[in-house]
């Protein structure tokens, strides 16, 4: 048996969007179950995101610490952001986020992993990239505002991040998944065996 997620779509007999926000919305679907019953499912509709594990030549990962109001914490995170344009190439979005949030560029890009963050209540799909061969970006830093105006930055050894994740000290979804995926890739076939940066992404189709 091959363990692999598969596309499937159950019948929706009614749908409404009771809330539409700046970037996301809430949708309510009436879904037909296998036994014929119809149940209501509420979920957040999300454009999708990208995140970047930026690994330098000293085996450190570039992090930023940002206030997240829903959980009332400042979390250590990897650079990440929304897919601002439908059909946007996720690699271009990841390169933009690395530049805007950290003023860094990378020469080597790979797909580390693809995840649904909370599939029971949100359709957000995230592609996490591995970026290597880092250097400072040219030009002026991107002007930040709101929560991003209070960012802290650090480069932390990968081994220390793995320890922090397993100790329950680090909680950001993309950081946890990215760090552990990087460790798994290294212990498996190696980083050069990762998918190319333009690998197809059925959850958020794009044009190369």
């Amino acid at each position: 048996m091959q363990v692999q997620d598969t596309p499937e779509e159950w019948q929706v007999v009614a749908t409404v969007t009771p809330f539409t926000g700046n970037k996301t919305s809430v949708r309510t679907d009436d879904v037909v179950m296998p036994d014929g019953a119809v149940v209501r499912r509420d979920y957040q509709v999300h454009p999708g995101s990208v995140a970047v594990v930026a690994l330098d030549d000293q085996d450190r990962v570039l992090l930023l610490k940002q206030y997240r109001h829903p959980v009332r914490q400042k979390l250590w995170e990897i650079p990440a952001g929304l897919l601002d344009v439908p059909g946007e190439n996720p690699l271009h979005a990841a390169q933009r986020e690395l530049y805007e949030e950290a003023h860094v560029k990378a020469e080597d890009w790979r797909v580390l992993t693809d995840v649904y963050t909370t599939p029971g209540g949100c359709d957000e799909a995230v592609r996490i990239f591995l970026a290597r061969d880092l250097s400072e970006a040219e030009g002026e830093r991107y002007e930040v505002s709101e929560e991003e105006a209070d960012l802290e930055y650090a480069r932390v050894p990968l081994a220390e991040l793995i320890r922090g994740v397993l100790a329950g000290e680090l909680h950001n979804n993309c950081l946890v998944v990215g760090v552990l995926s990087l460790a798994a890739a290294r212990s498996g076939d190696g980083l050069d065996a990762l998918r190319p940066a333009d690998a197809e992404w059925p959850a958020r189709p794009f044009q190369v």
Side-chain angles (χ1 to χ4, degrees):
M1 168 177 148
Q2 184 177 12
V3 180
Q4 181 176 331
D5 299 334
T6 54
E8 185 164 342
E9 188 168 351
W10 292 0
Q11 182 184 5
V12 175
V13 295
T15 184
V16 295
T17 304
F19 170 80
T20 300
N22 184 32
K23 295 290 186 180
T24 67
S25 60
V26 173
R27 183 176 297 163
T28 298
D29 288 344
D30 290 343
V31 186
V32 180
M33 298 288 107
D35 64 359
V38 176
V39 300
R40 184 155 290 177
R41 293 290 180 259
D42 304 312
Y43 59 99
Q44 183 184 22
V45 178
H46 193 286
S49 306
V50 292
V52 184
V53 175
L55 186 68
D56 69 15
D57 57 6
Q58 298 180 51
D59 212 40
R60 300 175 304 177
V61 176
L62 190 157
L63 300 183
L64 49 93
K65 196 174 190 181
Q66 182 170 347
Y67 176 66
R68 294 300 188 182
H69 187 70
V71 296
R72 307 301 199 272
Q73 291 193 38
K74 291 186 76 172
L75 301 180
W76 283 109
E77 305 179 352
I78 56 178
L82 299 176
L83 293 170
D84 291 333
V85 181
E88 180 178 17
N89 187 317
L91 174 60
H92 298 165
Q95 291 169 331
R96 180 184 68 238
E97 292 300 330
L98 186 60
Y99 164 73
E100 291 182 357
E101 295 195 343
H103 201 66
V104 167
K105 64 180 181 178
E107 298 302 323
D108 186 279
W109 290 83
R110 308 275 176 151
V111 174
L112 198 49
T113 191
D114 300 322
V115 294
Y116 292 114
T117 54
T118 50
C122 180
D123 72 350
E124 181 183 14
V126 180
R127 168 156 281 188
I128 303 177
F129 290 90
L130 171 65
R132 294 180 290 173
D133 194 5
L134 309 181
S135 61
E136 289 295 310
E138 296 89 0
E140 296 183 3
R141 279 188 169 270
Y142 181 79
E143 187 175 344
V144 296
S145 61
E146 300 174 351
E147 288 94 340
E148 292 183 350
D150 188 48
L151 293 180
E152 300 174 46
Y153 297 91
R155 294 196 181 200
V156 181
L158 178 61
E160 173 60 18
L161 293 179
I162 294 171
R163 186 207 63 77
V165 166
L166 298 179
E169 299 167 357
L170 300 169
H171 307 90
N172 175 264
N173 181 291
C174 290
L175 183 151
V176 171
V177 173
V179 162
L180 297 184
S181 294
L182 176 55
R186 275 188 166 170
S187 66
D189 294 333
L191 302 186
D192 290 336
L194 291 168
R195 286 175 291 162
D198 61 354
E200 68 173 37
W201 188 18
R204 293 295 184 273
F206 64 94
Q207 300 233 342
V208 177

